[in-house]
Structures are given as structure tokens and as C-alpha cells.
Amino acid sequence: MDLVRLENVSKVYRVGETDINALREIDLLLPPGGFICFVGPSGSGKTTLLNMIGCLDRPTRGRVFIDGQDVTNLSRKKSALFRGRKLGFIFQGFNLLPVLTAAENVALPLVMVQRLSKADRNREVVGILEAVGMSDQRHKYPNQLSGGQKQRVAVARALVTRPSLILADEPTANLDRVTAERVVDLMKSLRDKFGSTFVFSTHDLGLVKHAETIYELVDGRINDNHRPLGE
Ligand SMILES: Nc1ncnc2c1ncn2[C@@H]1O[C@H](COP(=O)(O)OP(=O)(O)OP(=O)(O)O)[C@@H](O)[C@H]1O
Ligand SMILES: [Mg+2]
């Protein structure tokens, strides 16, 4: 079964008297286990598309299915629950909470879904911080970490609930080349280890070359010449 299915998805933003067609009639099927990239010029709709897949916003028309469930019109509460259980997010600006340590930031999604006892939660947090090479830094606050370290903590936070799908909007945009490569290698190895699917957007050619499937967005449409690597 496809992990992500978009049927005829359009998104129109209304700004004053003007309609902006951010996405136009997108049909998309993504199988589980992929390392999938959206590229395209600024304003082409990458973030809007990730927001649709991540249940962060609703399409104007069309339907969105994640893991077989129709998530198109979930209530705010239900979509928050769905995100907590099934999805992980990595952001360009890391979005760690400054008043929490690295470990507390990583624990947050587990606290929110309330699935585990405190002891089990701590075990999961230390385990995933080890997987990203940050367990020795876990008591530090975000402002005591470098950009690459922060992003590794953010990757750990996205993965700690073992979501089937991780969405990342320009995850390497604030990192230097070497650190960006490390974060990409890390995401790929975690994909291999946990079987999670990664879907990300990027302008970074260094990241694009690691993708297994590349979709190019142009003016809210997916260019037909998308390239599943190796074909
Ligand atoms: N909340 C919003 N309100 C109105 N228009 C929006 C909103 N969000 C995005 N848009 C518009 O929708 C279009 C697609 O924007 P989007 O952010 O998806 O592009 P993008 O491909 O992610 O660009 P970038 O590479 O610059 O991040 C653009 O024309 C943008 O101005
Ligand atoms: Mg964007």
C-alpha cells in the first residue's frame, strides 16, 4: 500500500482580492521506505505540498491519504493526534525549544502522545540520541549546541516516536556543506535502520543527489519528468 496518496490536490491562498494557486491538481503516490525529494524554484509550492502531506494545512480541493487513512478533513484535534502518532517533522530552523535541554526536546513528542512510562521514555530518548551521536550532549541547551548538533537533536526528536513518515522542509539550509552531508547521511542511515520514509524539500544539490526519487515542482504542478533514480 502507498504510504502517501494525493488525489487531485489543489491549494488556493486568498490574499486580498487575489487568488494564489500554490498547488494545482497534484496526483502523487509515495511508497513506504523512500528517500524522496521535492525540488523547484522559490514559490513553486514545496512547503505547501509538505504541509498538505503533514496534515498541517488542508487542501482547497482534492484528497490526502496517509497510510490508508483519509486525513483531508480531520478536525484540528484529530489531525494533531494523527501527527503525533504517525509523523515526524524536521525544520530548516531546527525549532528546538530554548528552555529545554536536548534530551527534553527529544522527549517532547513522547510526552505528547503519552504512550510510555517515564522510565521507558528516558530509555527511548537516550537510545535515539545515541543513534544520532548526541547522547553525551543531551543535558545541554540548544544555545550551547552548534547548528549541526541542533539539527541532529531535531532529527532525533522527529524519529523518537518511530513515525512511518518524516517530513523535512529544507533541513540542511542552515548548515555548512560538511555538516549538511553528515545530517543527510544520518537521515539515510536512520531510514535504513528504522524503515521510516523521508520526504524533504531542498534547494541544496548536495542533498538532492542523495534522494532516490526526485519530484520537480513548477508553479504548483509536479513536472512529469520526475526522476526515480536508477531508471
Ligand atoms: N500562507 C500563505 N498565504 C498566502 N500565500 C501563500 C502562503 N503560503 C505560501 N503562499 C504562496 O504560495 C506559493 C507557494 O509557496 P511555498 O511556500 O509552498 O513555496 P516554496 O516552493 O516552498 O518556496 P521556497 O523555496 O521559497 O521555500 C507562493 O506563491 C507563496 O507566495
Ligand atoms: Mg518553502
Side-chain angles (χ1 to χ4, degrees), residues 23-222:
L23 296 175
R24 302 167 194 260
E25 294 160 9
I26 303 262
D27 287 310
L28 183 68
L29 295 174
L30 303 177
F35 207 67
I36 299 151
C37 178
F38 297 139
V39 298
S42 179
S44 59
K46 301 178 298 294
T47 297
T48 308
L49 183 54
L50 285 171
N51 288 346
M52 298 295 134
I53 298 172
C55 309
L56 290 167
D57 200 357
R58 289 178 183 179
T60 310
R61 285 182 296 279
R63 305 208 78 80
V64 180
F65 299 83
I66 309 290
D67 216 4
Q69 185 175 341
D70 186 344
V71 296
T72 317
N73 284 313
L74 290 183
S75 68
R76 202 174 267 254
K77 195 170 171 192
K78 282 198 173 135
S79 78
L81 265 175
F82 184 83
R83 284 196 299 272
R85 265 191 276 119
K86 293 266 176 170
L87 308 178
F89 294 89
I90 300 168
F91 301 94
Q92 174 179 343
F94 321 128
N95 289 22
L96 300 176
L97 291 179
V99 294
L100 301 182
T101 65
E104 288 164 349
N105 267 284
V106 173
L108 208 52
L110 289 176
V111 174
M112 279 156 69
V113 296
Q114 299 183 330
R115 248 187 337 218
L116 301 175
S117 68
K118 194 166 180 209
D120 286 343
R121 203 160 67 212
N122 286 342
R123 185 152 0 98
E124 289 294 313
V125 168
V126 172
I128 197 77
L129 280 167
E130 256 160 30
V132 301
M134 286 294 294
S135 63
D136 54 338
Q137 315 267 352
R138 66 182 179 277
H139 300 301
K140 285 194 176 168
Y141 289 89
N143 68 4
Q144 298 169 311
L145 299 171
S146 72
Q149 289 172 330
K150 277 186 234 181
Q151 197 56 312
R152 281 191 276 156
V153 173
V155 171
R157 179 184 57 185
L159 280 153
V160 75
T161 56
R162 303 287 157 86
S164 14
L165 178 60
I166 289 135
L167 300 161
D169 198 5
E170 306 202 29
T172 58
N174 286 333
L175 303 175
D176 64 70
R177 171 104 324 276
V178 174
T179 312
E181 286 282 329
R182 274 204 202 124
V183 168
V184 177
D185 286 345
L186 170 68
M187 295 196 314
K188 221 169 189 175
S189 70
L190 294 168
R191 187 280 306 264
D192 294 340
K193 192 165 170 193
F194 299 122
S196 334
T197 304
F198 278 82
V199 180
F200 49 90
S201 78
T202 193
H203 289 280
D204 176 355
L205 292 177
L207 180 51
V208 173
K209 71 170 193 263
H210 290 275
E212 289 155 0
T213 311
I214 299 164
Y215 290 95
E216 188 188 11
L217 278 155
V218 180
D219 195 21
R221 293 182 202 279
I222 290 181

